[in-house]
Amino acid sequence: MDPHYNHLPPKIPAPPTKKIGTGQAHSKIILMGEHAVVYDYPAIAMPFTAVQVEVKVHASHKPYTSIDCQYYRGPLEQIPEHLENLKTALHLAIESMRLKEIPLDIKIESTIPQERGMGSSAAVVVALIRAICDFYHVQISDYQLRLITNEAEVIAHQSTSGIDTLVTSSSNPIIYRKSQKPHSFKLDLDAFLIVADSGQAGRTSLAVNHVHELKKVKPHFVEQAMATIGRFVNQAYQAIRLGDRTELGRLMTYNHYYLNQLGISNQELDRIVNAAWLAGALGAKLTGGGLGGCVIALAEDQHHGEIISEAMMKAGASKAWLLNLSPVK
Ligand code: PMV
């Protein structure tokens, strides 16, 4: 027998049957730097709390763990492949925190649209782990929470920079680079951000693979594009710190131009971006993995934000949110 085996602490028992564990998480928006962040350039992302997910967990009367969400209702063991990340996350949480496994009923309620570059898969996993921790009454460090979520994200998206995990579990915007410690900061800019859903599913894995393949064929072009996007992101961070919304908008637009050159945009996204520019946006770009998903635009005030948002809807967006970037003091 392993000599260390006897020293393992006892497993944490399940709580009384009536206990309900709850966990929440929000979605995220990448302001600048998607794709480049995969190649270790910086990106800026922010929590987007207008859409959220809540998970509730309690002991089941059935002999197996079941999941109840918008896309699947049934035993966890038979969960469809595209939701496998939930199974992985649950098993990892139970193993790594040494929780005594019992059959659970897990209910997931989410207003985060799936596959829109809003980090819905990471957010669901973050909320699930938080609900499990609440149920078993255990504390989890941010580090451990992110480690488990990243493992699950690798299943959902194959490759991930980790930015979704970080921002869906954080309450502040973050400037992030894979090889460095993330830096969170307070965003206080006299401007409004419009987030418009194209209504078309984004295809992050496909887009990440596309760039990967393009890099094999045109290494110099892709490396230059990534380095340039990385520079824009650093300049955008300075613009935010200086309160320079015009400069931020300009950089967002340039960022979109480079994403377009990399083949990450499509006609629908470009139409919405163009509509935002024509309606007077300070800048506009796709956000997230691309090839569908969402577009963001920067407006100088709420009035312009409403006009731009309407123009984006007319250009094909299925939904739009208006976000004040200067939090009410
Ligand atoms: O589509 P989303 O929100 O998961 O964003 C993907 C962002 C990428 O930079 C394209 C990939 C990543 O893992 O960072």
Side-chain angles (χ1 to χ4, degrees):
M1 185 188 265
D2 180 344
H4 301 294
Y5 186 77
N6 287 335
H7 301 300
L8 284 176
K11 286 197 171 173
I12 296 170
T17 43
K18 278 196 191 130
K19 163 90 185 171
I20 296 180
T22 59
Q24 284 96 12
H26 46 253
S27 72
K28 70 101 206 353
I29 294 296
I30 297 181
L31 206 53
M32 304 246 323
E34 49 277 271
H35 288 284
V37 71
V38 174
Y39 297 87
D40 200 22
Y41 290 99
I44 301 171
M46 55 190 279
F48 182 53
T49 53
V51 284
Q52 306 219 1
V53 51
E54 182 173 73
V55 175
K56 286 199 169 83
V57 170
H58 63 86
S60 181
H61 298 301
K62 300 185 282 294
Y64 54 85
T65 292
S66 66
I67 295 264
D68 178 356
C69 69
Q70 199 185 341
Y71 307 98
Y72 173 73
R73 188 184 279 183
L76 178 71
E77 285 311 314
Q78 286 162 29
I79 202 159
E81 210 182 323
H82 72 278
L83 297 172
E84 278 276 329
N85 56 334
L86 296 178
K87 198 160 107 185
T88 304
L90 184 65
H91 288 325
L92 281 174
I94 286 175
E95 258 172 50
S96 65
M97 291 187 283
R98 293 192 52 73
L99 309 175
K100 194 162 181 341
E101 199 168 358
I102 60 158
L104 299 169
D105 284 332
I106 299 171
K107 186 163 176 53
I108 300 170
E109 278 179 335
S110 176
T111 53
I112 308 178
Q114 254 207 333
E115 298 179 322
R116 296 297 201 276
M118 289 186 170
S120 93
S121 60
V124 171
V125 169
V126 168
L128 171 64
I129 299 168
R130 283 179 172 160
I132 293 290
C133 291
D134 184 41
F135 178 71
Y136 281 92
H137 221 72
V138 290
Q139 298 281 341
I140 188 166
S141 65
D142 284 350
Y143 176 75
Q144 204 176 4
L145 173 67
R146 287 167 188 165
L147 212 66
I148 297 174
T149 312
N150 267 341
E151 282 283 324
E153 277 292 273
V154 170
I155 295 200
H157 297 310
Q158 278 107 60
S159 124
T160 170
S161 67
I163 198 163
D164 283 18
T165 306
L166 204 60
V167 186
T168 52
S169 61
S170 155
S171 44
N172 282 318
I174 285 173
I175 178 157
Y176 172 76
R177 206 174 152 170
K178 251 166 59 168
S179 61
Q180 288 173 13
K181 202 164 164 264
H183 175 71
S184 73
F185 63 98
K186 291 253 181 284
L187 180 63
D188 187 356
L189 190 71
D190 185 15
F192 279 72
L193 190 76
I194 303 112
V195 179
D197 183 352
S198 72
Q200 196 187 40
R203 287 169 290 167
T204 301
S205 308
L206 192 72
V208 170
N209 281 336
H210 164 79
V211 176
H212 191 70
E213 291 304 314
L214 189 65
K215 195 164 182 268
K216 286 186 197 158
V217 189
K218 294 184 177 175
H220 186 68
F221 167 71
V222 173
E223 272 153 29
Q224 287 290 310
M226 294 310 179
T228 307
I229 294 176
R231 268 199 308 279
F232 289 158
V233 172
N234 284 326
Q235 285 171 272
Y237 181 60
Q238 289 310 323
I240 291 170
R241 286 168 58 107
L242 296 170
D244 191 344
R245 62 188 183 201
T246 311
E247 176 66 353
L248 175 64
R250 187 183 75 84
L251 291 161
M252 283 168 62
T253 295
Y254 275 110
N255 192 165
H256 182 77
Y257 172 78
Y258 274 84
L259 289 169
N260 187 312
Q261 292 294 304
L262 286 164
I264 296 310
S265 192
N266 63 17
Q267 272 184 5
E268 286 75 15
L269 295 178
D270 283 347
R271 195 178 313 126
I272 300 171
V273 165
N274 284 333
W277 288 335
L278 290 174
L282 298 169
K285 63 183 278 291
L286 69 82
T287 177
L291 298 178
C294 290
V295 168
I296 53 174
L298 196 68
E300 58 193 60
D301 55 30
Q302 183 164 2
H303 174 64
H304 282 92
E306 280 158 9
I307 293 171
I308 294 162
S309 159
E310 213 181 296
M312 292 167 96
M313 292 291 287
K314 273 197 188 133
S318 61
K319 196 168 169 133
W321 296 264
L322 194 56
L323 203 68
N324 188 351
L325 297 183
S326 172
V328 184
K329 291 170 188 114

